[in-house]
């Protein structure tokens, strides 16, 4: 983190980090009961709407990382990536995976019978820790990405391929009749280069480096609204048709979630540095501990689950934001306390 008193600090990215941290908590608060409630109930529908309104959270983290890591003034070299950035993720993973493994051990009746499961749990991490693996992979290929992000046309070509093969093609494959043909072609091509979260990573840098016109931004906002509505409608419709809660139509790597994420990113950029500077005191603390909040908040939610305390204790319209605020505050306290641990604290929060 750079000094918040620096007049050149980009406060809009602090705001993005804070909002991304808050909204990822919203998603996991909703997930506490999302698969156990009646999918036709008002409570389930409310949780679904809250969840999908915040679906941009994790992709936004990837875009913020790309904005800084691919920028010439911030971009780490190979040595920094190998000796500092990636090892920090490894330390954070081991630290938090150990905590969650111990927590899971407390729920296990027989350690002797479940030692293999425990080992796998520790190595793979808790459900939200996949992000550390994904961001580590992006760190490692950053020097390779830099070789063509310096060229605008090459970058735009990559983004077009990302949209075509990662965001659009999977939707086309699901279409009746013609979908199976495109699926077979895709399987034969084995075209992996532009897939995954690399597209978000590069988009974060591109949308910082090259400002879009006002008209293009408006189009992006319209698509963001369309994508969000599509996510809500498609998830509810798919769940009702299959009889089980199913949000595969609104995964992080779908066109609709990408449209929502890009529109949010552009919206924060449009508000600009000066707008967020006025409220920086309110957002800087959450932004500072966004990494710690992300890693620690499932610990808080697991404690709520243990005591059978859920956001539906009142209407989820109020329960979800209330649970989110409490979880954020407790996660901040946990992160603040852990950061006081010498040497390791700042690495894992």
């Amino acid at each position: 983190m750079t000094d918040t008193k620096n007049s050149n600090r980009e406060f809009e990215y602090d705001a993005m980090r804070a909002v991304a941290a808050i909204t990822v908590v919203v998603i996991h608060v909703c997930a506490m009961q999302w698969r156990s409630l009646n999918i036709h109930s008002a409570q389930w529908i409310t949780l679904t709407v809250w969840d999908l309104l915040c679906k941009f959270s994790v992709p936004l983290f990837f875009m913020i990382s790309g904005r800084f890591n691919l920028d010439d003034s911030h971009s780490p070299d190979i040595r920094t990536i190998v000796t500092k950035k990636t090892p920090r993720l490894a330390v954070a993973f081991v630290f938090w995976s150990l905590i969650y493994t111990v927590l899971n051990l407390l729920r296990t009746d027989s350690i002797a019978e479940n030692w293999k499961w425990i080992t796998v749990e520790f190595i793979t991490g808790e459900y939200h820790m996949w992000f550390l693996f994904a961001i580590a992979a992006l760190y490692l290929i950053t020097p390779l990405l830099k070789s063509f992000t310096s060229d605008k046309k090459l970058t735009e070509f990559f983004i077009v391929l990302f949209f075509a093969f990662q965001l659009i093609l999977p939707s086309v494959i699901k279409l009746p009749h013609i979908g199976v043909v495109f699926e077979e072609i895709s399987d034969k091509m084995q075209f992996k280069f532009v897939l995954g979260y690399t597209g978000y990573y590069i988009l974060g840098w591109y949308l910082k480096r090259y400002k879009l016109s006002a008209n293009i931004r408006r189009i992006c906002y319209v698509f963001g609204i369309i994508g969000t509505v599509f996510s809500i409608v498609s998830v509810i419709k798919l769940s009702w048709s299959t009889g089980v809660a199913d949000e595969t139509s609104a995964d992080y790597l779908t066109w609709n979630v990408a449209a929502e994420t890009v529109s949010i990113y552009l919206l924060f950029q449009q508000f600009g540095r000066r707008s967020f500077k006025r409220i920086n005191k309110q957002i800087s603390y959450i932004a500072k501990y966004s990494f710690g909040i992300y890693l620690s908040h499932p610990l808080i939610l697991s404690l709520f689950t243990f005591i059978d305390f859920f956001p539906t204790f009142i209407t989820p319209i109020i329960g979800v934001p209330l649970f989110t605020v409490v979880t954020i505050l407790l996660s901040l306290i946990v992160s603040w306390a852990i950061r006081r641990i010498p040497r390791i604290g700042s690495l894992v929060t």
Side-chain angles (χ1 to χ4, degrees), residues 6-263:
N6 191 332
S7 60
N8 292 322
R9 185 176 181 83
E10 296 172 303
F11 296 103
E12 64 270 35
Y13 292 96
D14 281 347
M16 286 188 204
R17 287 190 187 93
V19 169
I22 293 169
T23 49
V24 80
V25 173
V26 172
I27 289 175
H28 291 154
V29 165
C30 293
M32 294 173 72
Q33 293 177 285
W34 192 70
R35 296 190 181 280
S36 62
L37 293 174
N38 185 327
I39 59 174
H40 296 284
S41 67
Q43 288 184 326
W44 183 86
I45 293 173
T46 304
L47 290 180
T48 301
V49 172
W50 271 119
D51 174 36
L52 297 173
L53 286 175
C54 298
K55 204 67 177 182
F56 63 85
S57 56
V58 173
L60 187 61
F61 272 129
F62 285 118
M63 291 185 70
I64 296 168
S65 295
R67 177 265 171 271
F68 288 102
N69 288 330
L70 292 173
D71 190 281
D72 289 335
S73 60
H74 297 86
S75 183
D77 56 22
I78 295 176
R79 182 176 180 179
T80 301
I81 291 171
V82 173
T83 62
K84 292 183 179 180
K85 294 184 76 68
T86 306
R88 183 201 174 186
L89 293 176
V91 170
F93 178 87
V94 171
F95 179 87
W96 286 103
S97 189
L98 181 60
I99 289 177
Y100 287 108
T101 300
V102 170
L103 180 64
N104 291 330
L105 278 174
L106 297 176
R107 305 169 181 170
T108 304
D109 295 328
S110 175
I111 297 177
E113 294 178 3
N114 294 282
W115 67 269
K116 290 184 179 180
W117 169 79
I118 294 167
T119 303
V120 172
E121 285 285 304
F122 174 74
I123 294 174
T124 57
E126 195 69 3
Y127 63 87
H128 67 306
M129 295 175 69
W130 67 269
F131 178 79
L132 299 183
F133 290 97
I135 201 68
L138 291 173
Y139 283 168
L140 291 174
I141 65 171
T142 294
L144 303 178
L145 297 179
K146 286 284 293 180
S147 66
F148 66 84
T149 52
S150 56
D151 186 303
K152 183 181 180 182
K153 290 185 178 180
L154 282 177
T155 306
E156 290 173 342
F157 185 52
F158 185 100
I159 292 172
V160 169
L161 292 176
F162 168 70
F163 271 82
F165 284 89
Q166 178 62 76
L167 304 181
I168 305 300
L169 183 59
S171 297
V172 175
I173 288 174
K174 294 177 182 178
L175 295 175
H177 308 303
I178 64 171
V180 65
V181 177
F182 283 94
E183 184 176 19
E184 185 173 349
I185 294 173
S186 177
D187 289 341
K188 290 179 179 179
M189 290 182 70
Q190 290 295 303
F191 191 50
K192 309 292 185 182
F193 182 66
V194 299
L195 305 186
Y197 295 99
T198 312
Y200 285 125
Y201 198 65
I202 290 177
L203 266 172
W205 170 83
Y206 178 85
L207 293 175
K208 167 62 180 178
R209 177 67 178 81
Y210 303 104
K211 299 296 184 182
L212 301 182
S213 67
N215 288 333
I216 297 297
R217 285 201 309 272
R218 292 189 189 101
I219 293 173
C220 290
Y221 294 148
V222 170
F223 272 100
I225 295 171
I226 293 172
T228 304
V229 173
F230 177 86
S231 294
I232 295 171
V233 173
S234 65
V235 167
I236 293 175
K237 183 178 179 180
L238 180 62
S239 298
W240 285 354
S241 65
T242 60
V244 294
D246 189 336
E247 60 175 350
T248 54
S249 61
D251 285 341
Y252 293 131
L253 290 168
T254 54
W255 73 266
N256 35 301
V257 173
E260 180 183 1
T261 305
V262 169
S263 65

Side-chain angles (χ1 to χ4, degrees), residues 296-349:
S296 66
H297 76 273
L299 181 64
I300 308 301
L301 296 181
S302 68
L303 295 177
F304 286 149
T305 301
F306 180 74
I307 62 175
D308 291 326
F309 188 46
F310 299 103
T312 53
F313 78 102
I314 55 175
T315 172
I317 296 176
I318 301 173
V320 169
L322 181 61
F323 251 68
T324 300
V325 170
V326 174
T327 303
I328 291 287
L329 290 175
L330 293 176
S331 297
L332 280 171
I333 293 172
V334 171
S335 299
W336 178 87
I338 291 175
R339 184 162 288 201
R340 267 56 194 169
I341 300 175
R343 295 187 179 181
I344 194 175
S346 61
L347 298 177
V348 300
T349 58

